[in-house]
Amino acid sequence: MMLAAALAGLALTPSAVPPGLYDGTIGSLPVRLCMAERHGAYYYRSRLVPIMLSPVEGSSGLFSEGNGSEPSLSLRGAVGEAVIGEWRSGSRRLPVRLRSISFDKGEFEDDPCASKTFQAPRLEGVRIVRSEVVQAGQRVTLTTLDTRGHFPDFSIVSLQLPGAGSAVAQINRRLFEPFRDSEEADWKGCDRGGYWGGGTGASYDVELTLTLATRRWLAVMERGGGFCEGAHPDEWSNPLLFDRRSGAEVELLDWLSTRAVTKERLGEGEDRFYRTLTPAFRAVLMKRYRHDDECTEAVADTEGWSAELRRTGIVFLPSMPHVMQACEEEVLLPWASLGPWLSGEGRSEVAALKAEWR
């Protein structure tokens, strides 16, 4: 009763709302709201899809939803940990009542909108759906992220191999990585990063598809894109090659000799290498590259290329910066042209492949 009386006595002018995380209601509907220094967001607990709040210029405590002027949210003041206000859309008015709650201060510099606490209710009910399909003549289990509509701009699709054994298990662990929480693939962290520092939300789209299956090898193409944080969205194509006997992920560029590829250790004592194509081998690829002059010049100077195993040869794709990604075009080098550039290991593996396909 004392709190209600104090709230009733507040002036009905917007005032600054302390940064933090709040639970409460708009009208009778439960919401969770975050407020940072220059931005905010909220979602209805029944829908769990964030609505961005942008401060109205020249005001204090007045926010518009998205990029428009309405609906809007006027937060009129605070008493202790309580905040009251009004939601407006045309002639409609709904009371807003919020209370401050604690939140996880994680990797995004104490921004409540990028906190795990703001995100947590939206993860409820998120699951992985499995279905049986055939890809590249191989029966596999398709794994799809079902966000129940809580993350409308997020999509993850991958696959799992049938069967048992350590090799299958190792391959399946790698194919499941996009769903995991890790430094390499953390879709939940991407979502949080999209709200950090005034961000307007994130998008994330990853799909792994089996493109070639032989008795010895599995080729998988990983394509992805999205916007997590930073100035530009990201896009990538990452061909993967697996040895079905051992389950190991194999670098296809190692089938080429030192005339074609240069290997540089990433660090002292590291077992990982950075591989670049030599000028001589790039010149061979550029004879088959078809694009405008600006792209041709930029791609010719690009040392970093990925390689994808195909039945007819190896496809090479240049790795370009964001502003030049339109220049990324596949270059197929058939087996006959690859012969002089293969290493001893490469010649042996290619001969075995051709024998299998006869």
Side-chain angles (χ1 to χ4, degrees), residues 65-222:
E65 294 186 4
N67 297 319
S69 59
E70 285 194 348
S72 64
L73 201 64
S74 175
L75 301 176
R76 297 195 295 255
V79 174
E81 295 183 343
V83 173
I84 64 169
E86 189 174 65
W87 178 90
R88 306 169 184 170
S89 180
S91 60
R92 293 187 66 197
R93 299 287 189 272
L94 295 173
V96 177
R97 298 178 178 85
L98 304 168
R99 60 178 179 83
S100 176
I101 63 171
S102 61
F103 66 93
D104 168 79
K105 295 179 173 60
E107 68 268 40
F108 292 107
E109 301 180 3
D110 296 352
D111 187 326
C113 294
S115 68
K116 291 182 179 180
T117 313
F118 183 66
Q119 181 190 61
R122 300 173 59 218
L123 296 173
E124 295 173 6
V126 171
R127 59 177 183 164
I128 296 172
V129 177
R130 293 171 171 82
S131 58
E132 302 301 315
V133 299
V134 175
Q135 293 184 352
Q138 168 85 44
R139 185 170 295 279
V140 298
T141 299
L142 201 67
T143 50
T144 305
L145 182 69
D146 177 10
T147 70
R148 302 297 181 95
H150 306 168
F151 301 82
D153 296 320
F154 279 62
S155 173
I156 301 177
V157 180
S158 188
L159 63 139
Q160 295 282 278
L161 303 178
S166 60
V168 170
Q170 184 171 336
I171 295 171
N172 282 340
R173 280 194 296 271
R174 173 62 182 89
L175 296 176
F176 196 75
E177 276 186 10
F179 299 99
R180 301 185 191 278
D181 299 338
S182 67
E183 293 183 5
E184 292 78 16
D186 182 3
W187 69 271
K188 299 173 189 175
C190 175
D191 174 68
R192 295 192 299 274
Y195 298 102
W196 174 68
T200 57
S203 61
Y204 192 78
D205 185 357
V206 177
E207 183 171 6
L208 281 76
T209 306
L210 182 64
T211 57
L212 181 68
T214 76
R215 288 193 296 270
R216 172 77 185 279
W217 302 103
L218 288 175
V220 175
M221 175 56 76
E222 178 182 32

Side-chain angles (χ1 to χ4, degrees), residues 221-262:
M221 175 56 76
E222 178 182 32
R223 300 189 189 276
F227 179 79
C228 301
E229 56 179 303
H232 302 288
D234 291 321
E235 292 184 10
W236 66 90
S237 297
N238 182 27
L240 309 174
L241 183 64
F242 298 98
D243 185 337
R244 301 182 77 164
R245 297 188 306 191
S246 65
E249 188 174 345
V250 175
E251 176 52 68
L252 185 56
L253 288 177
D254 288 346
W255 288 15
L256 302 179
S257 71
T258 55
R259 293 178 57 231
V261 175
T262 301

